[in-house]
Amino acid sequence: MEKTEKREKSVLYRLFISMFTISAFTFGGGFVIISLMKKKFVDEYGWLSEQEMLDYTALAQSCPGAIAVNAAILAGWRVAGPLGMLCAVAGTVLPPLIILSIISAFYSAFASNPYVAMALGGMQAGVAAVIVDVVLNMGKNVLAQKSWLKNGIMLAAFIAVYFLKVSVSTVILCAALIGIAQQLFSRRKGAAK
């Protein structure tokens, strides 16, 4: 019993510290954090599978709120239940709260500082590279499944957003509905056999 408790506390601690570190040293929003969560939770700790991380990314993006917080909720719950969810969310939101509190106290000094402006400009390039990495890795995983439906949805979503300027939320909603319809069709087909 004691070993199980220690193991659970260790997982909760690692979950909190992992999310705190990722959130504290990541610039660029949810997609950057998700790529680092994948490296930590899938590749390093093995807490989640690649497919679970892909599913959680889709859910996190389609739910209202910040993608990083939504992903932390889902991953934390999956890894360690309700306490895991609380630890992951706390680790995700504390760094921005601390940083914004410090920046707001010294806002006038930051706003007019040319070095801060240059640093933020450099970070934009790094963020773009990380987002491209996430897109390529996730796209590769979808293509590896060799599902004509998933590949078609991915291509149609890209065309709709990039060329037709359709709202991302509309594309996500349509893709979710197609996925639900496909699952229902597969179940009915399986039940008929």
Side-chain angles (χ1 to χ4, degrees):
M1 183 87 167
E2 233 177 84
K3 281 186 177 181
T4 306
E5 259 183 49
K6 284 183 179 180
R7 200 171 328 134
E8 287 175 7
K9 286 180 181 178
S10 171
V11 168
L12 293 174
Y13 176 76
R14 287 193 301 169
L15 189 58
F16 174 80
I17 291 298
S18 296
M19 289 309 300
F20 188 91
T21 306
I22 288 170
S23 184
F25 298 105
T26 304
F27 294 90
F31 291 113
V32 178
I33 287 177
I34 285 176
S35 70
L36 295 174
M37 284 175 66
K38 184 241 179 230
K39 288 179 181 170
K40 185 64 89 173
F41 297 160
V42 174
D43 300 338
E44 187 177 330
Y45 292 149
W47 287 342
L48 304 172
S49 70
E50 293 242 0
Q51 186 60 47
E52 284 175 315
M53 195 68 215
L54 190 63
D55 292 343
Y56 292 164
T57 301
L59 283 170
Q61 187 177 11
S62 60
C63 294
I67 294 171
V69 175
N70 292 342
I73 289 169
L74 295 167
W77 186 277
R78 169 66 178 83
V79 170
L83 284 176
M85 178 190 69
L86 291 173
C87 288
V89 170
T92 302
V93 299
L94 279 175
L97 287 174
I98 293 167
I99 292 168
L100 287 174
S101 297
I102 293 168
I103 289 175
S104 67
F106 302 102
Y107 178 74
S108 59
F110 280 115
S112 60
N113 189 318
Y115 297 110
V116 171
M118 286 187 280
L120 291 174
M123 285 183 217
Q124 285 177 337
V127 166
V130 171
I131 291 173
V132 168
D133 178 56
V134 170
V135 168
L136 292 175
N137 283 329
M138 292 178 81
K140 182 178 67 175
N141 290 337
V142 171
L143 289 173
Q145 294 176 13
K146 297 182 180 173
S147 165
W148 66 269
L149 180 63
K150 290 180 181 179
N151 292 337
I153 291 172
M154 188 169 63
L155 179 63
F158 174 75
I159 291 169
V161 171
Y162 191 77
F163 294 110
L164 304 176
K165 307 298 183 211
V166 176
S167 163
V168 172
S169 57
T170 302
V171 170
I172 291 170
L173 180 62
C174 290
L177 292 174
I178 292 169
I180 291 168
Q182 189 265 335
Q183 286 293 320
L184 291 174
F185 179 75
S186 294
R187 285 185 185 162
R188 284 189 186 164
K189 193 175 174 183
K193 288 184 179 181

